[in-house]
Amino acid sequence: MSSSSLPLHPLTSYGWDDAWADEFTRFDSEGLLPGRVIRVDRGQCDVVTADGVLRADTAFVTPNDPLRVVCTGDWVAVEPAGNPRYVRAYLPRRTAFVRSTSSKRSEGQILAANIDYVVVAVSLAVELDLGRVERFLALAWESGAQPVVVLTKADLVPEPATLGHLTQDVEQTAPGVPVLPVSAASGEGLDVLGAVLSGGTTVLLGQSGAGKSTLANALLGEDVMEVRAARDVDGKGRHTTTTRNLLALPGGGVLIDTPGLRGVGLWDAGTGVGQVFAEIEALAADCRFHDCAHVAEPGCAVLAAFESGSLPERRLESYRKLIRENQRIVAKTDARLRAEIRKDWKRKGAEGRAAMEAKRGRW
Ligand code: GDP
Ligand code: ZN
């Protein structure tokens, strides 16, 4: 997000903007530093501040509620000194990316905070699985961020007409989502993707082998592994080796890549499912019954569209499957926790959305 204040704040490249600055003013009198969490690890976290990367204790920001634990991407108020030095609070999240922990426990786990784009990497090297794309998109929408589909390894589809058809297929599956073919090998599409992502914070999702690491390296302009071993100077001038899960992109924007983001599952993507299947939700508004399940109900507008041939069977099946799966997961999940984190998004969401809408004009 761009900032109108000059000169640029040293944290601008990490996503600091006027709205964060406003939020932070309540800590000014306490002498705390603003910073962004680049990594969390067992009671400690690394925070990038105007004074460099500081290691801090997370005892104050580790409540029992797993969705309220400080995480990578959070903006925090950190003590400038102290042994240990503490993170005292984090600013209300604009968005949050959450996964289910395991099938036995019902709590979600927060993987990344304050993300603007969820890039779903889909490999063109294998047959398109639109159902899988839909699942990832449901998860992406649920986070509150803008999904973007990136069709990777476009160099393996040399025929422009074929590439055009594949892109169209995905576009039809993904209303409201930009679909962009790219190739890390040839460089195709990387400049456009880089320009889009320069406007905010991004996480990369997708199957193993989809090309996420290669894409991350291409966007970073160097090997992530190398970047991760980079040495940082803390406030006292001591050098500490830091594993960063949050990296500033050279062309602007921020990339978050945590181990947990690899292999996420579907977790209460209720709202998300509706957005992935926007055309079905629109049809459903005309069903006779408010709670129509679109299976055998009289006056069902969804079934009518299917029978007339305007709604493809694959799409309807995929929708039903996702709804069923989602209901099972929701039944295990504490609704209160979910309501809590949505409250923050609602409050902060409006301005973020407005910025996103403006950006969407680019496509
Ligand atoms: P990840 O598991 O999603 O992180 O996928 P990787 O980045 O490890 O890539 C998986 C495989 O795809 C590797 O063998 C890469 O070399 C290959 N790959 C990645 N990007 C491209 C590309 O743009 N073109 C081609 N032809 N292969 C690619
Ligand atoms: Zn219906």
Side-chain angles (χ1 to χ4, degrees):
M1 307 281 130
S2 67
S3 163
S4 58
S5 51
L6 288 170
L8 284 183
H9 191 278
L11 288 173
T12 303
S13 57
Y14 286 94
W16 183 253
D17 59 24
D18 293 345
W20 291 123
D22 284 348
E23 285 281 354
F24 197 82
T25 51
R26 72 179 115 141
F27 299 110
D28 284 347
S29 62
E30 296 176 61
L32 300 172
L33 295 173
R36 195 164 193 194
V37 175
I38 59 171
R39 175 173 178 256
V40 180
D41 185 28
R42 272 166 259 152
Q44 301 242 298
C45 67
D46 293 321
V47 181
V48 61
T49 71
D51 293 351
V53 176
L54 308 177
R55 182 149 295 177
D57 193 293
T58 59
F60 285 127
V61 280
T62 311
N64 285 332
D65 182 339
L67 296 181
R68 294 182 161 274
V69 170
V70 73
C71 82
T72 301
D74 269 322
W75 284 100
V76 296
V78 65
E79 294 174 347
N83 193 14
R85 149 201 295 136
Y86 288 100
V87 172
R88 294 269 287 275
Y90 62 80
L91 301 182
R93 291 168 180 155
R94 291 180 188 170
T95 62
F97 198 93
V98 173
R99 79 178 288 189
S100 60
T101 38
S102 78
S103 51
K104 289 193 201 90
R105 309 251 352 235
S106 63
E107 295 133 342
Q109 178 199 357
I110 182 146
L111 295 178
N114 302 314
I115 47 166
D116 301 290
Y117 305 106
V118 177
V119 168
V120 177
V122 177
S123 171
L124 289 171
V126 293
E127 204 182 329
L128 271 183
D129 181 342
L130 295 176
R132 186 184 295 144
V133 176
E134 283 157 345
R135 291 170 55 95
F136 276 118
L137 286 175
L139 196 63
W141 280 117
E142 185 63 17
S143 70
Q146 168 67 51
V148 175
V149 171
V150 165
L151 301 175
T152 61
K153 316 187 194 184
D155 55 287
L156 300 179
V157 186
E159 187 57 55
T162 311
L163 187 58
H165 286 134
L166 290 167
T167 306
Q168 254 175 24
D169 282 353
V170 178
E171 276 169 350
Q172 275 160 18
T173 299
V177 178
V179 179
L180 186 66
V182 305
S183 166
S186 74
E188 177 188 350
L190 289 179
D191 48 348
V192 181
L193 181 62
V196 172
L197 305 187
S198 70
T201 299
T202 298
V203 297
L204 277 173
L205 295 188
Q207 287 279 106
S208 175
K212 298 181 295 297
S213 315
T214 310
L215 189 59
N217 286 339
L219 289 168
L220 287 161
E222 54 190 316
D223 284 352
V224 177
M225 294 321 290
E226 219 175 283
V227 175
R228 291 189 158 191
R231 289 178 161 267
D232 285 299
V233 184
D234 79 5
K236 298 193 193 83
R238 248 184 325 108
H239 284 80
T240 49
T241 303
T242 310
T243 308
R244 290 176 169 232
N245 291 329
L246 182 151
L247 298 150
L249 296 169
V254 172
L255 185 67
I256 294 182
D257 176 27
T258 70
L261 279 166
R262 312 206 159 211
V264 284
L266 190 68
W267 181 85
D268 184 20
T271 323
V273 171
Q275 279 163 300
V276 172
F277 297 94
E279 88 280 23
I280 300 186
E281 296 275 305
L283 287 167
D286 291 333
C287 291
R288 185 179 306 163
F289 300 111
H290 166 68
D291 58 351
C292 185
H294 327 302
V295 176
E297 290 82 353
C300 174
V302 174
L303 286 175
F306 167 62
E307 274 150 23
S308 77
S310 64
L311 175 63
E313 180 170 16
R314 190 205 64 77
R315 188 86 172 143
L316 179 58
E317 280 308 311
S318 189
Y319 175 72
R320 285 175 171 156
K321 193 161 153 249
L322 221 53
I323 296 274
R324 277 197 305 274
E325 184 174 338
N326 190 48
Q327 278 163 350
R328 279 197 296 274
I329 296 164
V330 171
K332 293 187 299 194
T333 307
D334 182 344
R336 186 191 60 81
L337 294 190
R338 287 180 282 118
E340 292 269 347
I341 87 172
R342 286 223 187 82
K343 255 196 322 214
D344 273 350
W345 303 346
K346 287 237 171 71
R347 196 164 68 76
K348 295 300 296 176
E351 50 197 82
R353 285 277 160 216
M356 224 70 76
E357 294 293 331
K359 207 151 279 141
R360 226 173 282 167
R362 281 196 210 175
W363 292 83

